[in-house]
Amino acid sequence: MVFRFVQLKTGDGERRLAAVDDAGRARRVMVADTLYALAQAAIGVNATLAEAAQARELGEDIDIPAALAEGRVLAPIDHPDTAHLLLTGTGLTHLGSAEGRDKMHKAAQSGEQLTDSMRMFLMGVEGGKPAPGQEGVQPEWFYKGDGQQLVGPGQPLTSPAFAKDGGEEPEIAGVYLIGPDGTPHRLGFCLANEFSDHVIERGNYLWLAHSKLRQAALGPELLTGPLPEDVRGASRILRDGAVAWEKPFLSGEANMSHTIANLEHHHFKYDLFRRPGDVHVHFFGTATLSFSEGFQTKVGDVFEIEAAPFLYPVRNSLGQATERSVTVRAL
């Protein structure tokens, strides 16, 4: 049985953690009310999340669709101190079947001058899936912020007032907790919208870091166990209740130029990312973007990403923050 875990609140605001089985039945986890607490307990007794959750009999049934409709479902992971949850990611990791990637291959074959992005992509194609025990090529890496940037189901993805664009990036994210001895423990995988400013990124590749300092959304559930080799779904944008843009979404190692293990190695090789108690949400990249096809998002659009084996979609509207003046004051 593959368990999925969903965090939510009751009508009185109390935290609950639900374990969802393959059939979609959700029951209350009695040993912990948060995924963070359950993971800590699992590490303490050297158990899996599923084993730790069943240390006591699961409790009453929980209606996840009703909780989603009522806005009571939270992001599947959080940390008591948001500064100790880090959002990071990797890019140029997917082969995909999108036209943009096909053009990149053709440019490489024609001997044209390659961009840094193209060179990075081809390095991953050649060296991103090393043999066991060997180190593969490192991917592009970026930082998105801390736990303040994490958006839950149904909440808007809010661009800052100075943003040039707010665009979806349908991805899979790995969720990790660093154990007391500094060992990273993968809790599972989430369907995600990494959300970036593609106009800023297009203006200059060195602005990539700026373009990624945006919020990100996770789907309602954390999927335990290995990620399927071939993940297939759809990414769509709804405008005024109708589908304005839609395209298939592919992920999983069968559609990637890197193994997940290689991406994990090049993130956690840094000592500062192995601080006990920290949570990491690491996005694995995508090959499907509405922006690359010339679609322009608008405030009020709704991003919707779905893919098996995840039971629930990532669904968030696009918002924009009001302008705030910031002045540095010398002391």
Side-chain angles (χ1 to χ4, degrees):
M1 180 183 297
V2 175
F3 266 132
R4 299 157 174 85
F5 290 95
V6 176
Q7 296 195 125
L8 67 156
K9 289 185 177 182
T10 67
D12 296 329
E14 296 182 356
R15 294 287 296 261
R16 291 288 187 270
L17 179 64
V20 188
D21 63 22
D22 291 330
R25 183 187 182 188
R27 300 175 67 187
R28 181 182 175 186
V29 175
M30 302 304 295
V31 297
D33 289 331
T34 68
L35 184 60
Y36 183 79
L38 179 65
Q40 293 279 27
I43 292 172
V45 297
N46 195 29
T48 67
L49 288 176
E51 291 168 344
Q54 297 174 96
R56 287 173 57 190
E57 185 176 354
L58 296 175
E60 70 273 12
D61 285 6
I62 295 177
D63 189 339
I64 300 298
L68 281 167
E70 295 166 6
R72 294 189 287 108
V73 176
L74 308 172
I77 187 66
D78 56 0
H79 193 288
D81 180 352
T82 56
H84 287 276
L85 190 156
L86 301 180
L87 302 178
T88 56
T90 56
L92 301 173
T93 54
H94 281 62
L95 297 169
S97 57
E99 181 182 356
R101 292 301 187 192
D102 183 55
K103 289 180 180 178
M104 291 172 70
H105 281 290
K106 289 177 180 177
Q109 293 167 359
S110 68
E112 297 174 8
Q113 181 66 35
L114 302 183
T115 65
D116 286 342
S117 293
M118 182 60 191
R119 284 195 290 268
M120 178 72 73
F121 172 73
L122 292 179
M123 286 169 65
V125 170
E126 184 169 344
K129 293 185 173 180
Q134 297 185 5
E135 181 175 287
V137 66
Q138 61 186 0
E140 175 191 55
W141 182 95
F142 55 83
Y143 172 69
K144 287 191 68 67
D146 63 15
Q148 298 179 81
Q149 300 280 74
L150 191 58
V151 169
Q155 297 177 351
L157 283 161
T158 304
S159 286
F162 54 78
K164 304 298 184 184
D165 171 59
E168 87 296 339
E169 294 209 12
E171 304 192 15
I172 304 295
V175 177
Y176 308 84
L177 174 61
I178 310 302
D181 63 353
T183 299
H185 296 264
R186 187 199 308 126
L187 308 186
F189 300 95
C190 294
L191 200 55
N193 186 342
E194 192 254 297
F195 191 62
S196 300
D197 189 328
H198 300 107
V199 172
I200 291 290
E201 179 184 353
R202 183 181 61 182
N204 189 308
Y205 184 74
L206 296 179
W207 287 343
L208 174 72
H210 289 279
S211 75
K212 295 296 186 181
L213 288 173
R214 300 293 186 269
Q215 293 181 332
L218 298 179
E221 79 215 82
L222 177 126
L223 176 69
T224 61
L227 185 72
E229 285 281 312
D230 186 17
V231 176
R232 293 173 178 262
S235 176
R236 65 181 63 92
I237 298 173
L238 307 177
R239 181 172 292 169
D240 299 325
V243 176
W245 180 89
E246 184 173 18
K247 193 158 187 176
F249 159 58
L250 303 176
S251 193
E253 289 188 358
N255 302 298
M256 296 172 66
S257 54
H258 288 259
T259 62
I260 289 173
N262 190 54
L263 301 181
E264 291 172 336
H265 165 73
H266 284 294
H267 179 71
F268 290 112
K269 67 184 181 183
Y270 294 101
D271 291 346
L272 78 162
F273 293 151
R274 298 195 306 274
R275 183 169 53 193
D278 280 5
V279 169
H280 291 252
V281 176
H282 194 64
F283 300 90
F284 294 134
T286 189
T288 304
L289 300 173
S290 64
F291 179 81
S292 66
E293 298 189 351
F295 186 87
Q296 181 62 55
T297 59
K298 294 171 54 178
V299 171
D301 286 350
V302 175
F303 304 115
E304 189 173 82
I305 302 161
E306 60 181 6
F310 298 93
L311 298 178
Y312 314 106
V314 187
R315 199 169 193 272
N316 305 85
S317 62
L318 173 61
Q320 187 153 30
T322 56
E323 187 171 356
R324 294 181 58 189
S325 176
V326 178
T327 302
V328 176
R329 183 165 61 94
L331 295 180

